[in-house]
Amino acid sequence: MAPTNPGLKHLSNALATPDQLSNSSSAIDGVPSDLETSIRCAGAQLTQAAGVLLRLSQDIIAQAIVIFARFWLGADGGSLRIYSAKDVSAASLYLTAKLSFQPTSPRSVLNVYTFLLSKESSPLWFVNPRGAPAQPPAAESYILSEGGYQSARLVLFRIESIILRTLGFDTHVALPHTIALTYLQTLGATRPAVARRVIEHLNAALLSPQLLYITHQPNALAVAAIYLATREEGVKLVDGEWWEVFDVDREELGFLVVGMRSTEGFVRAETERWRNKAIPMVVDEVEAEIERRRMMQEGE
């Protein structure tokens, strides 16, 4: 990760380097880039859903999604052929919550993930393509047994330690949400509808295939979300290139605006692409999908 300015440590993040973005461990291990992108996006959505069920605050959930994304970066990051995305998601959320004012127990985390990953009970489209069941499912399909809990707990702790080592124990994540609200006040754009739209754009950007949260600083993300929200709500800001006041140039703003606008279309396309099958969230499923593609390519 690229270093940050020590004086702005709490307002900025270490960003991914070009080499980390172009050479992931998964790619080196032969995972197709589109499959890796799909799994990363599904993992972010899984983390979001689990955080909501655990009643964690959105800032904790967002930090966990960023930690999850960082883990797969570069040749030294995790590979989807070695680590299951579901385990990394659970450990990222557990770790982030543990370091916050809202720690949650391993049992609570694992119970929630067991439910969300149940092929019969899950409401998540990328786990259960048939959709949430109309009738309450059998409890056995989503309740973790005591033996299953003890085994999953060991995996949770092991993956947590692997994440920490992979990230060099740097778990700092600065988020753009509070910065954006401060910028709105500075610009005099205090309408609740605008603030709500800004937050929606920032939360949606966590699912961006361009990995916007690990390629751009929080101030730039905040400015881009404000630019989009004020235009959508018909709110005129000050004349001139106001974004430069917040240390964002036109080129970076343009890239982020396009990236944020495209996220909804990307998720919609993913939903259509995987409509009839689940996105692989464990190593064995990733291997099966890679083999399926190989056989199709060879016409077997």
Side-chain angles (χ1 to χ4, degrees):
M1 305 288 280
T4 59
N5 184 330
L8 300 175
K9 179 179 179 181
H10 297 294
L11 297 176
S12 60
N13 293 313
L15 300 181
T17 65
D19 183 63
Q20 286 177 317
L21 293 170
S22 60
N23 296 294
S24 72
S25 181
S26 297
I28 294 170
D29 283 347
V31 179
S33 61
D34 65 303
L35 179 58
E36 182 178 1
T37 298
S38 293
I39 296 173
R40 283 184 177 184
C41 179
Q45 293 179 71
L46 175 62
T47 308
Q48 177 70 47
V52 170
L53 290 182
L54 288 164
R55 299 183 180 180
L56 298 174
S57 63
Q58 182 58 34
D59 62 330
I60 293 174
I61 298 171
Q63 290 172 42
I65 292 174
V66 174
I67 293 294
F68 173 83
R70 287 177 180 171
F71 176 74
W72 308 105
L73 279 176
D76 296 326
S79 169
L80 289 164
R81 298 188 88 160
I82 299 175
Y83 304 106
S84 294
K86 72 173 184 67
D87 293 335
V88 177
S89 169
S92 297
L93 192 60
Y94 172 70
L95 170 63
T96 306
K98 184 167 69 173
L99 297 173
S100 76
F101 59 90
Q102 275 187 297
T104 188
S105 69
R107 188 179 292 275
S108 295
V109 171
L110 294 171
N111 281 338
V112 163
Y113 273 82
T114 299
F115 168 69
L116 289 175
L117 293 163
S118 168
K119 301 296 185 183
E120 292 77 27
S121 309
S122 179
L124 300 177
W125 65 269
F126 53 87
V127 174
N128 182 9
R130 295 171 298 179
Q135 299 297 325
E140 293 77 16
S141 68
Y142 63 86
I143 290 181
L144 195 61
S145 67
E146 185 59 29
Y149 165 68
Q150 294 299 335
S151 176
R153 181 171 171 269
L154 292 176
V155 173
L156 180 69
F157 292 162
R158 181 174 66 86
I159 298 299
E160 178 192 19
S161 67
I162 290 171
I163 290 173
L164 286 170
R165 291 200 304 271
T166 300
L167 300 184
F169 292 86
D170 181 6
T171 59
H172 170 73
V173 177
L175 297 174
H177 300 66
T178 301
I179 296 173
L181 296 179
T182 301
Y183 287 179
L184 282 175
Q185 290 182 327
T186 302
L187 293 166
T190 55
R191 279 173 46 182
V194 173
R196 183 168 56 251
R197 200 74 186 104
V198 166
I199 298 302
E200 288 173 353
H201 279 302
L202 291 176
N203 288 337
L206 289 163
L207 307 179
S208 167
Q210 293 97 343
L211 303 175
L212 299 180
Y213 271 73
I214 56 178
T215 57
H216 294 269
Q217 294 293 0
N219 67 301
L221 293 168
V223 166
I226 291 171
Y227 182 90
L228 278 173
T230 52
R231 285 183 167 246
E232 291 166 352
E233 295 295 327
V235 174
K236 181 175 174 57
L237 298 178
V238 295
D239 293 329
E241 298 184 338
W242 57 268
W243 47 86
E244 293 186 349
V245 175
F246 303 113
D247 198 26
V248 180
D249 61 37
R250 179 181 290 275
E251 182 178 357
E252 183 176 24
L253 174 61
F255 178 87
L256 285 170
V257 166
V258 171
M260 287 184 177
R261 277 179 172 166
S262 67
T263 299
E264 182 180 353
F266 164 74
V267 174
R268 191 183 304 116
E270 284 290 288
T271 306
E272 180 63 24
R273 179 178 167 214
W274 293 91
R275 180 175 50 175
N276 298 318
K277 58 182 178 178
I279 295 179
M281 299 301 291
V282 300
V283 171
D284 288 348
E285 293 173 354
V286 172
E287 294 292 347
E289 175 64 17
I290 293 173
E291 178 63 16
R292 185 189 69 81
R293 293 185 179 198
R294 184 194 67 78
M295 292 177 66
M296 288 184 62
Q297 188 175 24
E298 295 178 0
E300 297 182 12

